Structure formats: C-alpha cells, structure tokens
Amino acid sequence: MTLLFVGEILDLLTSPGDLSGVLIEGFAKASLYLMIASGLTLIFGLMDVINFAHGAFTMYGAYIAGAAVLGAGVGSFGLGGSVLTFLLVVAFVFAVLALFGTVLEVTLIRRLYEYPPIFQILLTFGIAITLEEFMRIFVEFWGVNQGQWRFDWSSPRQETLPTALRGTKEFLFISYNGLHLLQIAFGIATAVGIWAFLNRTRYGLFVRAGVEDEEMAKALGINIKQTFTVVFAIGAGTAGAAGAMLMWDRLWSVSVPLALEVLLPAFVIVIVGGLGSFKGTIAASGLVGMLDAFGTWAFQTGVITFTGIDDLMIFAVLVLMLIVRPRGLFGVEGQGDHG
Amino acid sequence: MSSQTTRGGSIPAWVGIYLRDHVVHIAVVALFVAYPFLYDFLTATFGLTAEMLLPEVRTMLTVLWLGLFAMSFDFISGYTGYLSFGHAAFFGIGAYFVVLGYNGQLPVIPAELPFMALMLLGALLAVVSAFLIGLVAFRLTGVYFAMITLGIAEIMFIVATRWDFLTPGDGDPRDGIAAGSPPDVALFEPEIGIPFVDPLNAQIGPFGEETLLGINIGDPEIVSYFMIGAVVLVCYFCMQRIIHSPFGRVMIAVRENEARAKAIGYNTFNYKLGAFMLSAFFGGIAGALLVSFEGTVDPDTTFFFLVTGFALVASIIGGLGTLAGPFFGYIFLEGIEEFLAREGGGGGLQPFLEQTLPGGVLSTNLGGTTVSEALNSFMTGHGEFYTGIIFILFVLYIPVGLLGTLRQRLGTESVAKYVSRRVGDRLASTDQSE
C-alpha cells in the first residue's frame, strides 16, 4: 500500500501534464476558498464577530447569480460576452448582498457589540437558520429547483457556462480546465482587491486602526460605527460574489445546503490562517486548496479508496493545525480567546 | 436528626425536609407523568383547539432524548464556559455504538447484548473519546476550543456518511443503519428498566409493550415515554448533584474567572477535562435513547453540526447555565415547530385555520396561488424559519433565557431552591400559628 503510494507519487512528479493539472486545480480550489473565507476574516478581524450567516450569504449570492445568469441567457454570448456579463452579474450580486449586509448590521448586529462575543455567534446563527429556511420555503413554493422556470437551477452551469470554459484543454504539455483559469483570476482579483482596500483606501486605514486599538481610533475621531457597517457590507458582498463563482463550478451546486457546505470550510480556513489575519487567510486557502486537489487526485488514481477524502482532509488540517500551532499560521495572541 | 419525627407520624423528619427541598422537581415530574393522559383528555374535550396548542406525546418523547442531549451540552458549555461545538460527536457515538454493538459489528462486543448494557458501554466509549479530545482541546480556549471540537465532530460526521464498514452489504452509510438489520441477528427489542427485576422492565419502541407495572396503558408510545423519561430523570439528578457538589462549584469558578480559580490552587485543566467527560457520558446516553425508540441511526440526526446547533438554540431559549433550562427550551422549540410547522405530524395552526377560516378567504387568489395553498407551504415543515426568528428575538431581548429570567426575577441561584425555601417558610409559619 505505502509502496504503491510512493510509486504513484513518483508517476505524478515525472508526468508534467498530470502535475500541472493537479496544481492548476489546486490553485483554482484555493481561489474559491479564498473568496469564501475572505469576507469572514475581514468581519472577524475588525469586529470580532464570527459570522455564522456567512454561508447563507454565499447561498443567496449563488441563487441570485443563477437567476441573473439564466435570465440574461449568458451561455449564448460567446466567451468574451459571457465573461463580461458574468462580471456584471458578480458586481450586481456584490451590491445586493452588501446592501443586505448593511441592513442586517444596522438593525440587528449593531445592538450586540457591547455583549460577550458568544452573543454575536448566537445572533448570526439565528440569522443563518432563518435565511436558509426562508430560501427553502421560497424554493419549494415557486418550485425553483424542480425546473419550473425552464432551467435546471441546481446546476445553471450546464446551460450557461460558455463552451470555451468547459472540459479539459491542452496547452503544450499542460492540461487545464478553462473554468479553473477564470476562478484563479477571480481569486487573485479578490486578494488584490481586499489588500488594496485595507492598505490603499481611507476606510482601510480606519479598519486597520480599529483592529489595532479601537479606543484610540475612536478618540482620534474615526467613526468606528460607520466603519463596522462598511466592513460588514463588504464582507457580505464578498460572500455573495463567492456564491456567484461557485454557481458555475461542477463540485458545488445552487441549493440550500450550500450554506453549510461553504460555512464550515470557511471557518477552517480562517482558523488555520489565524483569526483576523488576511495574509493568513490567503496562505491557508492555498494550503487547503492544494491538499484538496491532491486528495481528489489520490482518490481518482485509487491510492485512497475513501470517498470523503477531500472533506476529511480539510477538517484534519484544522485539527492538526490547532494541535501544532493553536493560533494558526499568522494568528495574534489574544484574538478569539475568552472575554 | 433522623430520630425526630414529623407531626403525628412515624416518618423520619428528613423525609419531609427532602420532599420539601424537591417540591419543584416533584411537581414537574408529576406533570410529565400526567401529560399523556392530560393530552388525551384535553384533545377529547376541546378537540382541534387543544390539538393545535399542545405538543403530541410523540413530540414529547423526542424532546426527552434531545433535551437530555441539550442538558449535557449545557453541562459543559453553560457551566464551564467552554463552548463544546462538536458535542454531537458524543450523541453520535452513543447512538452508533448501540446499533453496531447490537448488530455484532464491533470487536469484543458480542451481538445482541441487552440494550441497557450497550447504552452504558456506549456512554463509556463517549467518555473515553471525550478524554482523548479533551487532552488536545483544553490546551485551547474561546473560539479555538469551539472550533477544534467542531472539527473533530465533522471528521466523525464525514466518516459516518462515507465509511462502508458501517453498512455491510451494499447500503449507503448516509441513509443510516437499523439495529438488528443483519439477517443472523435477532429483532431489536430494547428493554429499559432495572436489570434482573422483570416487572421493572419494559420493552420500548413503537411496537413495544403496552403494560407497565401490571397496568395496561394501551399505547407503547406512552410506555416508552415513561421508561425513557425515567432514564432522563436519573441522568438529570446525577448532573444536578454534580453541579451542586464542590466539583460543580469549581466548574462555575472556571466560567467566572479561570485565572483566579487557578491561582487559588485548583488544577483547572483536570476539572475541565472531568466535566467534559461527564457531559460526554450523558450525551452518549441521550444518543442511545434515540436508538432505543427509533431503532435506526443516520449521520444527519446524530453527528451533524446542526444537532449541536439546535442544542445550543434550546440552551439559549431555556437559559444557558441553568441545568433544566435546555430541556424546557427544547419543549418550547419543538412545541413552536409543531404549532407553526406541524413538525412531528402534530396538529398545529395550519389545519386549525383551514377549518375555521371561511372558504371565501381560503380560496382568495394571491398572485397565482390561493391563501390555502400559501398557508400550506408556509406552515408545513419549515419549523426552522420560525425557530430562527424566535431565537433571534431571544438573543436580543431575553439573552438569559426562560429559566434564567425567572432566576433573575426571584434573585436566587436556582428556581427550585427558591420555591422550596418559600414552601419551607410557609410550613414554618403554619407550625407557629398552631
């Protein structure tokens, strides 16, 4: 068994086509994980709120994006047109979810900043189950997932994904999947965008000041309340945009359980990277994405026969990381402890 | 002390004091015992109205094991302040152990052991796993503790959904396993009671015995309700005893100020680990009780993340850090779900409205559907929607929960103590007036 495994790995390392395929898939998965987790880490870093409704935001984003993409008939536009429309759809989803996040923050979450952190966990958990069940009622009532609207909602990709992005392609010796490249592009855009927001904008400065020392930031006249709202809106919007991206991916589906499927890996990445550290989140997404891709590869080549290997790997990373480095890769002492 | 006797009787005085101390417990237990008969009586008298408002006996039966699980969750999370977010792991271990053990799929354990033995062994396995998890997890605090327990429970969930060892043959582990499913194993007929005393045992389950203590009750569901309820009651008293012991005081000290508890000289790590193992024991028992009635397990009702999630919801509604609170929280939760969403096949508001609203209103058109259809969609099977809203309201406006609020109003550390003191005062004043 172990000998066989070594042989398989040698095979992989000596075959550039397979290796590049696995690596590209790993980067694509890492990009998805980064998009999923970055909103969560942003909100936690500043506000110390562990947002359990994050997965629900992503699920809503996926549904809205599915509706928009199907409604616009993206599949028939050709590659350039579809990608451009998709960009518009992502921007639209971001705006809708950001608005929704703002409303939630102002009406509900704001009330609990003075309470111990567990109450924010509880509140967002309550919001999450309400939102999920509401979508379930909606979906059932209007028969959305049963194809009543002429579309197969559980996988809008089948009708709308441009043919150029489907299937595996070869370039020299590298085998890749068009959609993976799009995902990597979006992942890089997310990383750069959030980095630029934090380091190059006025609000980013406020956010960093707030993370550093909330009292002092307040004393210097920074409107922390407003900053919290903006950050929560951006976090929610990013979650929604990630949902739009997941909509096209073969391994995820537009369905109500998506919320939980997204939420748990997002937690893992945020914890593994270190709570509140954006750098850590990028590193952890890379780690988990690569492990996921290699786990899938190990299953496909028959080295491991356990079907849940990729899911299992994610949580094994979490447990191992917490044993070896309790603060995560780039965590700060004192974040997320008691009190 | 014991030589003193009460007025005009030969009963030792401590019996009176004991009964007075437990007056709330006795009243609550009496209410629970009477409930199935009360339910029958009220539904027979008031018909649909009572059926709408009262949770069914079947629902109360579910509440028993879920409530016990929520109490065990609260035992560690509410009293030591360490949020055990993967508590479903112990519920699942207890449940899976009974099924696998009965089917003879586990090493060492012979097939077809009596249920009581399997239940205790399963709970002990939960204790052992809590020890191993705790060794690692209690090096962490706060969110990190919650996350490592969640991670471990999720790993168990994934294994339970995918590992084909669990279902010999070609079954899908995701669909669950039934106890007694292998052809060479006898039917699963669990008995709860005191071992080796035949009259004090009863076979439970939907097709179990209909008589208890020689009385013909006529409904196996009610017999199961009593027997499972008895186990839950014993567990509750054990936990209550631990909470009020010096050990329990240290648990509360850990919650209030761990650094200070450590400074006084308590090895808080050992106390936390001990409390975690104890709560795992009761969590395992709760899982076994689920199997005792249902006869099957599946990952979604045992190891799933939301099993812990709803124990947390029940704990908040009932009052985190009050032992009985989560149990009442679960009654409230399931009652609401039955009322608004007809979960558990109960009466609920929707059939009531169907019958009482005039036909003209019901067939009014609402953008493509009638009021009747809309009612049917929104009020059948979507309990979590209403639960979520109620939970949010609780977190915002009643964060200490039902029992917690009562406790604050009365200004004591526990409601039972307050009532027994009042009863004691009342008795003392009548003594004086005589």
Side-chain angles (χ1 to χ4, degrees), chain A residues 3-74:
Chain A
L3 268 181
L4 183 79
F5 193 63
V6 170
E8 296 281 353
I9 285 184
L10 278 178
D11 264 2
L12 179 75
L13 290 179
T14 50
S15 131
D18 287 356
L19 185 65
S20 62
V22 172
L23 284 180
I24 288 178
E25 197 187 340
F27 275 118
K29 285 188 168 173
S31 305
L32 287 183
Y33 284 132
L34 177 67
M35 294 185 70
I36 292 169
S38 52
L40 199 63
T41 199
L42 210 56
I43 291 173
F44 184 84
L46 177 66
M47 301 152 74
D48 282 344
V49 172
I50 298 198
N51 183 13
F52 268 75
H54 194 78
F57 292 161
T58 304
M59 186 258 290
Y60 273 64
Y63 266 108
I64 296 170
V69 163
L70 286 168
V74 163

Side-chain angles (χ1 to χ4, degrees), chain B residues 61-100:
Chain B
L61 191 56
T62 320
V63 164
L64 288 178
W65 59 74
L66 288 178
L68 177 61
F69 175 66
M71 283 196 285
S72 83
F73 169 81
D74 185 41
F75 185 83
I76 180 77
S77 306
Y79 282 93
T80 67
Y82 278 76
L83 202 60
S84 170
F85 232 74
H87 214 65
F90 308 125
F91 192 67
I93 287 174
Y96 268 84
F97 186 88
V98 171
V99 172
L100 295 178

